Amino acid sequence: MTESETTAMRRFPTLGDYSTALQHPRLCFPGDPDLRSAEVTEDILLGPMASSGNFGGVYHLHSPDGQREWGVKCFTRASDIRPERYRSICAHLASVDPDVERWYVPIEFVPEGIRVGDDHWPIAKMSWIRAPGLLEWIDRNVANRTYLRKLAGDFTDVVLRLEELDIAHGDLQHGNILVSAGRRVRLVDYDAMYVPGLAGAARPEGGHRHYQHPRAGTLFGPRMDRFPARVIQLSLLAVAASPELWTDLRDEEDERLLLGTEDFADPAASRAFDTLSRSADPEVRDLTTQVLRDLAADPRALPPLERVRPVVRRIPAQTPRTAPVFGEPPPAERAAPDSTPGADGTCEASGAHGAAGAPGATRTPGPASAPGTPSGPTGTRPPAPDPARPHTPGPTPAPGPVREAAPASPCGRAAAEPPPYPRRSDPSPHTSRAAQRREAQRSGRTAAGRSAGPVPEPRRTGRRTWPWVLVVLLVLLAGVLIALHIAARDDAVPGGFCDRLPFVCAGLPSPSPAP
């Protein structure tokens, strides 16, 4: 009789039997030095505590100094294939580096790991991960859209990585998913795992009913995680898009995410599918459509998961800002250099560059120059005509390089031609004196390039000198007081100086009487 057949014929202990034995780790773990000296997490009244699962319960043990922690799974149901299965799983996972594959929690199967009474029973020893389960984590972060989408992306990467390694977890559900620091997915409970060494074997368990395909049956292979993984991915993205769905589509006591076995049985009458199909997030709508297609398809021919789409933040377009010229008024205060023709044919200045140089001035209509014809020498403008005398054409300018003129306005001037020399205001008081003089010289030139006469020096701002005056006055007052003090000691001031100013002579020794 083989070891597996002998184990299957025996009646396995209950969780109560295991809890009683674990009160004395030194006796129940005789062959494991780590567990023999470990301490069990206990309840004050109930003793050792276990989190129950499908095939048994998991106990939490830690070293006396608290630096190392383990989870020990004790089985309560017999299985004649468990030892061979765990040997194949542990042998395949031995080549997986937990520092690279962060989903992996190292595990070791010990056929005679724990002693209960006079018999020894198998255990699965693994590292203890201090991390919340998926339901608890979502409860904490239900309003954080970024965290939920990042977790959905990391979960998708883990599932796709398992397929690359030709591995399937076999029971993807909220109870077997832990969320560690950095929103990293950790998978636990490898009882139903598939590895290449188990190809052709029967599926040991059907998985959680709220996550499995209705017709999955005995499907056992590297693709059996696709449907439950897509259900989890859809739930995470849907809650990220609409956090209120976490309470609208499920009760607080529900052991599931947004979808359940009743939704899979009748999708047409499912309120959850109807709500998700009308989501504002197009990715959620597409995933809902794919889950509905999966329910109508053969579970052995489902497509793999698609990676979570990156979130593109749409930034509204802004008008490019140009740096203003030093001293130039803001754009809102600048007047257009063009003139607007009046109803009587005269041109009325519409800005600071009018005919007479003042807003509102008018000028006599003259012969408009042809488009493209320069109105003066290159880089200059002709002086503004005097309205008091008629306009007479001047001499023809000498030929030279001519720049292309802007389109002429109805009044014969360039519509948007900027002044050749920008108008500048007074220099900033924070600039140097030499820079202020140069700025004043440049600002003193007219539009025609001629000097406008001497430019006054910018007004200098004198420094405040009252602090120094106050210091001088205090020094003088101190000197006077010292002098009076000396005079009082020598009794050089007649008339009872100390009697009139007692605060000056306070603390002085009385003068000695003359011999």
Side-chain angles (χ1 to χ4, degrees):
M1 184 177 294
T2 64
E3 175 188 353
S4 60
E5 292 175 348
T6 303
T7 304
M9 292 176 61
R10 295 186 298 171
R11 175 184 172 273
F12 270 66
T14 64
L15 289 180
D17 299 332
Y18 285 119
S19 298
T20 302
L22 283 169
Q23 293 180 4
H24 307 282
R26 200 173 289 273
L27 298 178
C28 65
F29 297 115
D32 193 316
D34 293 332
L35 299 181
R36 185 172 53 193
S37 60
E39 299 176 0
V40 185
T41 302
E42 298 184 3
D43 183 82
I44 298 178
L45 300 177
L46 303 178
M49 301 173 55
S51 57
S52 59
N54 193 14
F55 287 97
V58 179
Y59 291 89
H60 177 210
L61 290 87
H62 57 85
S63 60
D65 58 1
Q67 297 298 320
R68 303 179 64 189
E69 297 177 280
W70 302 274
V72 175
K73 183 168 185 177
C74 300
F75 300 95
T76 57
R77 292 170 56 183
S79 174
D80 55 347
I81 63 173
R82 182 181 295 127
E84 288 76 9
R85 278 185 46 78
Y86 264 101
R87 288 192 185 97
S88 299
I89 293 173
C90 293
H92 188 82
L93 295 180
S95 60
V96 176
D97 186 0
D99 294 331
V100 177
E101 309 296 340
R102 301 203 175 192
W103 58 267
Y104 171 55
V105 179
I107 187 173
E108 177 186 359
F109 181 76
V110 185
E112 296 184 353
I114 186 171
R115 178 181 178 180
V116 180
D118 296 333
D119 296 327
H120 291 79
W121 305 93
I123 63 171
K125 176 185 174 184
M126 67 200 78
S127 300
W128 184 266
I129 304 298
R130 285 189 172 271
L134 183 58
L135 292 182
E136 181 183 354
W137 188 90
I138 296 178
D139 284 332
R140 297 178 184 177
N141 302 275
V142 66
N144 196 322
R145 180 173 184 264
T146 303
Y147 281 11
L148 287 166
R149 291 192 62 89
K150 286 185 177 180
L151 180 64
D154 188 70
F155 173 76
T156 304
D157 294 341
V158 167
V159 174
L160 294 178
R161 179 57 179 164
L162 287 175
E163 288 200 19
E164 292 178 3
L165 298 174
D166 206 20
I167 299 174
H169 183 273
D171 189 17
L172 285 180
Q173 44 111 340
H174 61 270
N176 294 334
I177 299 175
L178 304 180
V179 184
S180 61
R183 295 167 295 280
R184 293 287 185 177
V185 170
R186 310 295 294 271
L187 302 180
V188 296
D189 193 355
Y190 302 155
D191 289 344
M193 177 171 282
Y194 168 85
V195 294
L198 297 176
R203 185 171 185 173
E205 60 176 285
H208 200 293
R209 64 189 183 93
H210 287 311
Y211 295 85
Q212 296 299 319
H213 195 285
R215 297 187 303 277
T218 58
L219 174 63
F220 188 62
R223 299 181 179 181
M224 63 178 178
D225 285 341
R226 290 184 176 181
F227 183 81
R230 188 170 283 114
V231 170
I232 297 173
Q233 183 190 49
L234 171 60
S235 298
L236 291 173
L237 293 178
V239 174
S242 303
E244 65 276 4
L245 296 181
W246 186 241
T247 55
D248 292 347
L249 298 182
R250 61 183 298 276
D251 296 330
E252 187 176 355
E253 296 80 12
D254 283 351
E255 289 296 316
R256 62 181 179 87
L257 297 180
L258 299 186
L259 298 172
T261 182
E262 65 278 2
D263 301 303
F264 305 149
D266 190 1
S270 170
R271 174 173 168 265
F273 275 123
D274 179 66
T275 303
L276 296 176
S277 62
R278 292 184 286 104
S279 173
D281 190 341
E283 187 172 13
V284 174
R285 296 196 302 268
D286 294 344
L287 272 175
T288 304
T289 302
Q290 184 59 53
V291 172
L292 292 173
R293 291 175 181 169
D294 292 348
L295 290 172
D298 184 355
R300 294 172 177 79
L302 302 183
L305 266 67
E306 295 185 1
R307 297 190 183 274
V308 177
R309 304 170 190 172
V311 179
V312 180
R313 298 181 179 271
R314 298 184 179 274
I315 302 177
Q318 298 180 356
T319 305
R321 301 177 60 184
T322 56
V325 182
F326 175 81
E328 191 174 11
E333 300 179 5
R334 293 187 217 143
D338 193 12
S339 298
T340 305
D344 54 353
T346 60
C347 290
E348 183 177 355
S350 60
H353 303 291
T362 59
R363 55 193 175 98
T364 308
S369 56
T373 304
S375 57
T378 303
T380 63
R381 287 184 178 177
D386 188 359
R389 61 180 183 179
H391 172 72
T392 56
T396 304
V402 179
R403 64 181 180 182
E404 183 179 359
S409 68
C411 296
R413 295 186 57 190
E417 183 183 0
Y421 296 97
R423 297 178 180 271
R424 304 173 184 266
S425 60
D426 292 338
S428 171
H430 302 289
T431 56
S432 62
R433 294 175 58 187
Q436 292 180 9
R437 284 197 296 269
R438 289 194 299 269
E439 194 65 34
Q441 292 175 0
R442 287 195 294 266
S443 302
R445 301 179 63 88
T446 61
R450 296 187 296 273
S451 174
V455 179
E457 285 283 339
R459 184 176 180 180
R460 300 176 184 176
T461 303
R463 298 181 179 178
R464 297 181 179 180
T465 57
W466 64 266
W468 298 104
V469 174
L470 181 59
V471 171
V472 173
L473 291 177
L474 292 176
V475 172
L476 292 177
L477 180 59
V480 171
L481 292 177
I482 293 172
L484 293 177
H485 208 160
I486 295 174
R489 291 186 57 183
D490 295 342
D491 202 16
V493 179
F497 176 84
C498 291
D499 294 338
R500 287 176 290 176
L501 299 175
F503 66 93
V504 177
C505 302
L508 295 178
S510 302
S512 58

